[in-house]
Short mmCIF file of all heavy atoms in Angstrom, two decimals:
data_model
loop_
_atom_site.label_atom_id
_atom_site.label_comp_id
_atom_site.label_asym_id
_atom_site.label_seq_id
_atom_site.Cartn_x
_atom_site.Cartn_y
_atom_site.Cartn_z
N MET C 19 179.48 -14.13 238.86
CA MET C 19 178.59 -13.04 239.08
C MET C 19 179.18 -11.99 240.00
O MET C 19 178.58 -11.01 240.24
CB MET C 19 177.29 -13.65 239.86
CG MET C 19 176.45 -14.63 238.95
SD MET C 19 175.97 -13.90 237.48
CE MET C 19 174.78 -12.71 238.06
N LEU C 20 180.35 -12.21 240.55
CA LEU C 20 180.99 -11.28 241.36
C LEU C 20 182.21 -10.65 240.87
O LEU C 20 183.01 -10.00 241.54
CB LEU C 20 181.36 -11.94 242.79
CG LEU C 20 180.14 -12.31 243.60
CD1 LEU C 20 180.58 -13.08 244.82
CD2 LEU C 20 179.46 -11.02 244.02
N GLN C 21 182.54 -10.82 239.62
CA GLN C 21 183.75 -10.20 238.97
C GLN C 21 183.54 -8.82 238.58
O GLN C 21 183.28 -8.34 237.48
CB GLN C 21 184.10 -10.99 237.85
CG GLN C 21 184.45 -12.54 238.04
CD GLN C 21 185.49 -12.62 239.15
OE1 GLN C 21 186.57 -12.00 238.95
NE2 GLN C 21 185.28 -13.40 240.11
N ALA C 22 183.60 -7.84 239.70
CA ALA C 22 183.23 -6.56 239.47
C ALA C 22 184.33 -5.80 238.74
O ALA C 22 184.09 -4.70 238.16
CB ALA C 22 182.88 -5.85 240.81
N ASP C 23 185.55 -6.23 238.79
CA ASP C 23 186.64 -5.50 238.22
C ASP C 23 187.19 -6.12 236.98
O ASP C 23 188.41 -6.17 236.79
CB ASP C 23 187.69 -5.32 239.32
CG ASP C 23 187.36 -4.61 240.47
OD1 ASP C 23 186.57 -3.56 240.31
OD2 ASP C 23 187.73 -5.05 241.58
N GLY C 24 186.30 -6.73 236.16
CA GLY C 24 186.68 -7.44 234.97
C GLY C 24 186.27 -8.84 235.01
O GLY C 24 185.45 -9.19 235.80
N GLY C 25 186.82 -9.74 234.18
CA GLY C 25 186.62 -11.05 234.24
C GLY C 25 185.34 -11.40 233.46
O GLY C 25 184.83 -10.70 232.50
N VAL C 26 184.59 -12.54 233.81
CA VAL C 26 183.51 -13.08 233.10
C VAL C 26 182.37 -12.09 232.87
O VAL C 26 181.89 -11.93 231.79
CB VAL C 26 183.03 -14.41 233.81
CG1 VAL C 26 181.84 -14.92 233.07
CG2 VAL C 26 184.13 -15.41 233.85
N PHE C 27 181.99 -11.33 233.93
CA PHE C 27 180.89 -10.49 233.79
C PHE C 27 181.06 -9.45 232.83
O PHE C 27 180.05 -8.91 232.26
CB PHE C 27 180.62 -9.95 235.28
CG PHE C 27 179.27 -9.08 235.36
CD1 PHE C 27 178.00 -9.88 235.36
CD2 PHE C 27 179.27 -7.74 235.27
CE1 PHE C 27 176.87 -9.17 235.49
CE2 PHE C 27 178.06 -7.11 235.29
CZ PHE C 27 176.88 -7.78 235.40
N ASP C 28 182.30 -8.98 232.61
CA ASP C 28 182.50 -7.76 231.75
C ASP C 28 183.05 -8.08 230.42
O ASP C 28 183.37 -7.26 229.71
CB ASP C 28 183.58 -6.94 232.48
CG ASP C 28 182.98 -6.00 233.50
OD1 ASP C 28 181.76 -5.66 233.38
OD2 ASP C 28 183.63 -5.67 234.52
N GLU C 29 183.21 -9.33 230.05
CA GLU C 29 184.14 -9.72 228.88
C GLU C 29 183.52 -9.42 227.66
O GLU C 29 184.15 -9.31 226.58
CB GLU C 29 184.56 -11.11 228.99
CG GLU C 29 183.41 -12.12 228.82
CD GLU C 29 183.78 -13.55 228.99
OE1 GLU C 29 184.95 -13.82 229.42
OE2 GLU C 29 182.90 -14.46 228.84
N GLU C 30 182.18 -9.23 227.47
CA GLU C 30 181.50 -8.93 226.19
C GLU C 30 181.75 -7.46 225.82
O GLU C 30 181.50 -6.55 226.60
CB GLU C 30 180.03 -9.26 226.22
CG GLU C 30 179.79 -10.71 226.25
CD GLU C 30 178.36 -11.05 226.13
OE1 GLU C 30 177.55 -10.04 225.97
OE2 GLU C 30 177.85 -12.17 226.32
N ALA C 31 182.21 -7.22 224.65
CA ALA C 31 182.43 -5.78 224.19
C ALA C 31 180.95 -5.25 224.02
O ALA C 31 179.93 -5.99 223.61
CB ALA C 31 183.23 -5.81 222.97
N HIS C 32 180.81 -4.03 224.11
CA HIS C 32 179.58 -3.30 223.76
C HIS C 32 179.75 -2.22 222.75
O HIS C 32 180.86 -1.66 222.60
CB HIS C 32 179.02 -2.74 225.05
CG HIS C 32 179.84 -1.74 225.76
ND1 HIS C 32 181.05 -2.07 226.39
CD2 HIS C 32 179.72 -0.42 225.95
CE1 HIS C 32 181.53 -0.97 226.93
NE2 HIS C 32 180.76 0.06 226.67
N GLY C 33 178.67 -1.98 222.01
CA GLY C 33 178.80 -1.04 220.82
C GLY C 33 178.75 0.30 221.31
O GLY C 33 178.40 0.66 222.45
N ALA C 34 179.10 1.13 220.31
CA ALA C 34 179.12 2.59 220.69
C ALA C 34 177.82 3.06 221.18
O ALA C 34 176.81 2.90 220.51
CB ALA C 34 179.57 3.39 219.39
N GLY C 35 177.78 3.80 222.23
CA GLY C 35 176.51 4.34 222.65
C GLY C 35 175.72 3.40 223.56
O GLY C 35 174.63 3.87 224.10
N LYS C 36 176.18 2.18 223.72
CA LYS C 36 175.39 1.28 224.52
C LYS C 36 176.12 0.93 225.78
O LYS C 36 177.35 0.84 225.79
CB LYS C 36 175.19 0.02 223.66
CG LYS C 36 174.14 0.05 222.52
CD LYS C 36 173.88 -1.23 221.91
CE LYS C 36 172.85 -1.13 220.72
NZ LYS C 36 172.63 -2.37 220.04
N LEU C 37 175.32 0.66 226.79
CA LEU C 37 176.00 0.29 228.12
C LEU C 37 176.20 -1.36 228.09
O LEU C 37 175.35 -2.09 227.54
CB LEU C 37 175.00 0.60 229.30
CG LEU C 37 174.74 2.03 229.36
CD1 LEU C 37 173.73 2.29 230.63
CD2 LEU C 37 176.01 2.97 229.60
N ASN C 38 177.25 -1.69 228.79
CA ASN C 38 177.43 -3.18 228.89
C ASN C 38 176.73 -3.65 230.08
O ASN C 38 176.11 -2.91 230.84
CB ASN C 38 178.98 -3.59 228.86
CG ASN C 38 179.70 -3.03 230.03
OD1 ASN C 38 179.10 -2.60 230.98
ND2 ASN C 38 181.03 -3.00 229.89
N LYS C 39 176.88 -4.98 230.37
CA LYS C 39 176.12 -5.63 231.55
C LYS C 39 176.59 -5.00 232.80
O LYS C 39 175.75 -4.71 233.73
CB LYS C 39 176.29 -7.09 231.53
CG LYS C 39 175.65 -7.72 230.33
CD LYS C 39 176.00 -9.27 230.35
CE LYS C 39 177.43 -9.50 229.97
NZ LYS C 39 177.62 -10.97 229.70
N GLN C 40 177.90 -4.68 232.99
CA GLN C 40 178.41 -4.12 234.14
C GLN C 40 177.86 -2.67 234.36
O GLN C 40 177.54 -2.32 235.51
CB GLN C 40 179.94 -4.17 234.13
CG GLN C 40 180.63 -3.38 235.26
CD GLN C 40 180.66 -4.20 236.51
OE1 GLN C 40 180.01 -5.18 236.62
NE2 GLN C 40 181.30 -3.77 237.55
N ASP C 41 177.88 -1.83 233.29
CA ASP C 41 177.23 -0.58 233.42
C ASP C 41 175.87 -0.43 233.84
O ASP C 41 175.40 0.26 234.76
CB ASP C 41 177.44 0.20 232.06
CG ASP C 41 178.83 0.39 231.55
OD1 ASP C 41 179.70 0.59 232.51
OD2 ASP C 41 179.01 0.46 230.33
N ILE C 42 175.07 -1.54 233.28
CA ILE C 42 173.66 -1.56 233.62
C ILE C 42 173.45 -1.93 235.03
O ILE C 42 172.63 -1.46 235.87
CB ILE C 42 172.95 -2.51 232.72
CG1 ILE C 42 172.92 -2.01 231.22
CG2 ILE C 42 171.54 -2.83 233.10
CD1 ILE C 42 172.49 -3.09 230.21
N TYR C 43 174.21 -2.99 235.52
CA TYR C 43 174.26 -3.42 236.87
C TYR C 43 174.47 -2.30 237.84
O TYR C 43 173.70 -2.08 238.82
CB TYR C 43 175.21 -4.59 237.02
CG TYR C 43 175.54 -4.81 238.48
CD1 TYR C 43 174.65 -5.47 239.38
CD2 TYR C 43 176.73 -4.47 239.09
CE1 TYR C 43 175.00 -5.76 240.60
CE2 TYR C 43 177.10 -4.80 240.31
CZ TYR C 43 176.17 -5.39 241.14
OH TYR C 43 176.52 -5.64 242.48
N LEU C 44 175.55 -1.58 237.54
CA LEU C 44 175.88 -0.47 238.49
C LEU C 44 174.93 0.61 238.55
O LEU C 44 174.59 1.18 239.61
CB LEU C 44 177.24 0.16 238.09
CG LEU C 44 178.51 -0.90 238.22
CD1 LEU C 44 179.82 -0.23 237.72
CD2 LEU C 44 178.68 -1.25 239.74
N GLU C 45 174.34 0.92 237.40
CA GLU C 45 173.35 1.95 237.39
C GLU C 45 172.07 1.61 238.03
O GLU C 45 171.43 2.43 238.82
CB GLU C 45 173.00 2.41 235.90
CG GLU C 45 171.85 3.42 235.70
CD GLU C 45 172.17 4.73 236.45
OE1 GLU C 45 173.28 5.05 236.69
OE2 GLU C 45 171.19 5.43 236.73
N LEU C 46 171.54 0.39 237.80
CA LEU C 46 170.42 -0.10 238.52
C LEU C 46 170.63 -0.07 240.05
O LEU C 46 169.78 0.23 240.84
CB LEU C 46 169.91 -1.44 237.98
CG LEU C 46 169.37 -1.46 236.63
CD1 LEU C 46 169.06 -2.88 236.15
CD2 LEU C 46 168.20 -0.53 236.44
N ARG C 47 171.82 -0.61 240.34
CA ARG C 47 172.12 -0.72 241.90
C ARG C 47 172.16 0.70 242.46
O ARG C 47 171.65 0.86 243.56
CB ARG C 47 173.54 -1.37 241.92
CG ARG C 47 173.84 -1.60 243.55
CD ARG C 47 175.19 -2.40 243.59
NE ARG C 47 176.31 -1.51 243.26
CZ ARG C 47 177.61 -1.84 243.55
NH1 ARG C 47 177.78 -3.09 244.05
NH2 ARG C 47 178.56 -1.08 243.18
N ARG C 48 172.68 1.62 241.76
CA ARG C 48 172.67 2.94 242.26
C ARG C 48 171.22 3.53 242.46
O ARG C 48 170.94 4.20 243.44
CB ARG C 48 173.41 3.95 241.29
CG ARG C 48 173.53 5.37 241.59
CD ARG C 48 174.39 6.20 240.65
NE ARG C 48 174.44 7.49 240.94
CZ ARG C 48 173.46 8.48 240.57
NH1 ARG C 48 172.41 8.07 239.88
NH2 ARG C 48 173.56 9.59 241.03
N ARG C 49 170.42 3.26 241.44
CA ARG C 49 168.99 3.69 241.59
C ARG C 49 168.31 3.11 242.81
O ARG C 49 167.47 3.79 243.39
CB ARG C 49 168.21 3.42 240.26
CG ARG C 49 168.80 4.23 239.09
CD ARG C 49 168.07 3.82 237.81
NE ARG C 49 168.59 4.49 236.63
CZ ARG C 49 168.06 4.37 235.36
NH1 ARG C 49 166.97 3.60 235.19
NH2 ARG C 49 168.64 4.92 234.31
N ILE C 50 168.53 1.82 242.95
CA ILE C 50 167.88 1.06 244.12
C ILE C 50 168.31 1.69 245.46
O ILE C 50 167.59 1.93 246.28
CB ILE C 50 168.16 -0.40 244.04
CG1 ILE C 50 167.47 -1.03 242.78
CG2 ILE C 50 167.77 -1.08 245.31
CD1 ILE C 50 167.85 -2.45 242.55
N CYS C 51 169.63 1.94 245.49
CA CYS C 51 170.32 2.40 246.75
C CYS C 51 169.88 3.85 247.03
O CYS C 51 169.60 4.22 248.19
CB CYS C 51 171.85 2.45 246.56
SG CYS C 51 172.67 2.70 248.14
N LEU C 52 169.67 4.64 245.97
CA LEU C 52 169.22 6.09 246.10
C LEU C 52 167.72 6.19 246.28
O LEU C 52 167.13 7.33 246.32
CB LEU C 52 169.78 6.91 245.04
CG LEU C 52 171.28 7.20 245.03
CD1 LEU C 52 171.70 7.96 243.82
CD2 LEU C 52 171.66 7.89 246.29
N LEU C 53 166.98 5.01 246.21
CA LEU C 53 165.52 4.90 246.37
C LEU C 53 164.83 5.50 245.29
O LEU C 53 163.65 5.91 245.31
CB LEU C 53 165.17 5.70 247.81
CG LEU C 53 165.73 5.24 248.97
CD1 LEU C 53 165.39 6.06 250.25
CD2 LEU C 53 165.40 3.75 249.24
N ASP C 54 165.48 5.57 244.07
CA ASP C 54 164.76 5.89 242.79
C ASP C 54 163.79 4.84 242.55
O ASP C 54 162.74 5.09 242.11
CB ASP C 54 165.64 6.13 241.62
CG ASP C 54 166.59 7.26 241.84
OD1 ASP C 54 166.14 8.23 242.42
OD2 ASP C 54 167.73 7.26 241.18
N TYR C 55 164.16 3.60 242.96
CA TYR C 55 163.27 2.40 242.88
C TYR C 55 162.99 2.04 244.40
O TYR C 55 163.84 1.58 245.05
CB TYR C 55 163.78 1.15 242.12
CG TYR C 55 164.22 1.51 240.69
CD1 TYR C 55 165.29 0.87 240.25
CD2 TYR C 55 163.41 2.29 239.89
CE1 TYR C 55 165.65 1.10 238.83
CE2 TYR C 55 163.76 2.57 238.48
CZ TYR C 55 164.89 2.03 238.05
OH TYR C 55 165.19 2.24 236.77
N GLN C 56 161.78 2.30 244.83
CA GLN C 56 161.44 2.04 246.32
C GLN C 56 161.26 0.61 246.46
O GLN C 56 161.00 -0.19 245.59
CB GLN C 56 160.17 2.79 246.58
CG GLN C 56 160.28 4.37 246.65
CD GLN C 56 160.93 4.88 247.85
OE1 GLN C 56 160.86 4.28 248.92
NE2 GLN C 56 161.61 6.06 247.67
N PRO C 57 161.57 0.11 247.76
CA PRO C 57 161.21 -1.21 248.10
C PRO C 57 159.86 -1.64 247.69
O PRO C 57 158.80 -0.91 247.97
CB PRO C 57 161.45 -1.27 249.58
CG PRO C 57 162.36 -0.22 249.88
CD PRO C 57 162.07 0.93 248.86
N GLY C 58 159.78 -2.76 247.03
CA GLY C 58 158.39 -3.22 246.51
C GLY C 58 158.04 -2.91 245.15
O GLY C 58 157.17 -3.38 244.58
N SER C 59 158.79 -1.88 244.63
CA SER C 59 158.49 -1.36 243.18
C SER C 59 158.79 -2.41 242.19
O SER C 59 159.80 -3.20 242.37
CB SER C 59 159.08 -0.07 242.89
OG SER C 59 160.49 -0.05 243.06
N ARG C 60 158.08 -2.38 241.09
CA ARG C 60 158.44 -3.42 240.01
C ARG C 60 159.36 -2.80 238.99
O ARG C 60 159.29 -1.71 238.72
CB ARG C 60 157.08 -3.76 239.33
CG ARG C 60 156.02 -4.30 240.22
CD ARG C 60 156.34 -5.77 240.66
NE ARG C 60 155.35 -6.23 241.57
CZ ARG C 60 155.44 -7.55 242.01
NH1 ARG C 60 156.32 -8.34 241.54
NH2 ARG C 60 154.48 -7.98 242.85
#
């Protein structure tokens, strides 16, 4: 769960135009950090 620079978390290839699990994780983390998703929001 902590292989941010490759490894198990990133190993699945993703199709054209789709985000992989790492991309999704980073984008959601960014939104939470920038308060796009406020604490307590679903």
Side-chain angles (χ1 to χ4, degrees):
M19 297 302 292
L20 288 175
Q21 300 303 309
D23 299 318
V26 177
F27 188 79
D28 278 331
E29 66 185 5
E30 289 187 6
H32 57 291
K36 290 185 178 181
L37 300 178
N38 63 15
K39 292 175 290 189
Q40 174 75 351
D41 296 331
I42 295 169
Y43 163 74
L44 293 175
E45 176 58 23
L46 291 177
R47 187 178 69 171
R48 179 177 179 277
R49 293 179 186 181
I50 292 171
C51 192
L52 291 175
L53 304 175
D54 294 332
Y55 301 144
Q56 293 280 333
S59 61
R60 302 284 177 179

